[in-house]
Amino acid sequence: MANRIYIFDTTLRDGEQVPGCQLTTNEKVQVALELERLGVDVIEAGFPISSPGDFRSVVEIAKAVTNPTVCALSRAVAGDIDAAGEALKHAKRGRIHTGIGASDIHIRNKFSSTREAILEQAVRAVKHARTYVDDVEFYAEDAGRANLDFLCRLTEAVIKAGATVVNIPDTTGYCLPGEYGEKIKHIYNCVPNVDKATISIHCHNDLGLATANSLSGIMNGARQIECTINGIGERAGNTSLEEVVMAMNVHKELGFETGIDTTRLYPVSQLVSGLMRMPVQANKAIVGRNAFAHSSGIHQDGHLKHTENYEIMNPLDVGVDKSLIILTARSGRHALKHRLELLGYRYDRPTLDTIYTRFLDMADVRKEVNDKDLMELVR
Ligand code: KIV
Ligand code: ZN
């Protein structure tokens, strides 16, 4: 299916790199099983060479899940690839994700190397990874700032060496959406064997553009998005899975499809947030506490007249059981009347006006008026 977008979840690898968010092996298996239920295509389970615990986690996840491909990260060095290959021994479908810096900034400052030497190392790494698994993804780290001609040569060479997926990461979250999309388009136009591999995108959120860049990537031909639950990840995080999935879902005219059961988005978000002790910001798109909460009088009145007025998706579609009307000093009579009626109180207009005046006094002091406060008020 030409417009099927593969969802590669890296919550347990890039996401877990967040300071203080480390999980035990059992917790990682629990998250992996929920990701499987959510319908992700690939679970990046860890970086096996990095620690015995991470190695064990990849082994256990590979044993526990059935449908998603299980992926293990490695640098483009033999020892890393051996550890990844070993950890994936029990996977029904295993993928090694290997790669190296592709920008001149990385080539110079990280590797003190040259483009030619990096290209040779990349090809060697992919060939070595293919001795363990048939599915090898190559990442061209810092592709967002890499020379485009070199990126095309590198992509062509790793595909020739056996890469089935080529990841073009915006590692530093540097690109603008138009610029990133153009890079992907250029790769499609200039790499002769590009149709032998899937082009993947992996965007970081340093400028708050990860979701926009990912969408721009798929609109220009990429067919795999790398993302995390709640957008967690290095520094400002990765592309948020729930955001890209719902953007495709709401904008059906784009014609993209995923295998995601969107009704599992909110439960998985809560699970990851709880296990990682990483609260979801209240105004986070899709899964934040306020994502379906209406608090100003104009919005509440509009929402009560028709949900379509201020909601572009049904909360049930993302696993949130209902929208909320938050009663604050910005609320109007319509919202107050609605809430009172839900609590079983009906009033004529003059009485409602009196209650509304008292309600505003209370709301100015308490900021948010809950049902208990309201009962106190009407009594
Ligand atoms: O951001 C990045 O470039 C990465 C790679 C390891 C894929 O996380
Ligand atoms: Zn990353």
Side-chain angles (χ1 to χ4, degrees), residues 10 13-14 17 44 73-74 97 106 137 139-143 167-172 202-204 226 234-235 238:
T10 183
R13 199 280 296 169
D14 215 325
Q17 288 172 208
E44 188 163 48
L73 186 77
S74 75
H97 188 190
H106 278 213
E137 174 168 341
Y139 66 85
E141 196 181 9
D142 201 20
N167 177 9
I168 308 295
D170 184 21
T171 305
T172 55
H202 176 117
C203 297
H204 279 267
E226 308 195 3
E234 281 280 353
R235 306 180 311 281
N238 287 68

Side-chain angles (χ1 to χ4, degrees), residues 7-34:
I7 298 295
F8 175 117
D9 180 278
T10 183
T11 305
L12 296 173
R13 199 280 296 169
D14 215 325
E16 212 239 359
Q17 288 172 208
V18 175
C21 284
Q22 278 61 46
L23 300 178
T24 64
T25 295
N26 284 346
E27 289 169 334
K28 286 188 193 174
V29 170
Q30 194 183 343
V31 172
L33 290 171
E34 281 308 309

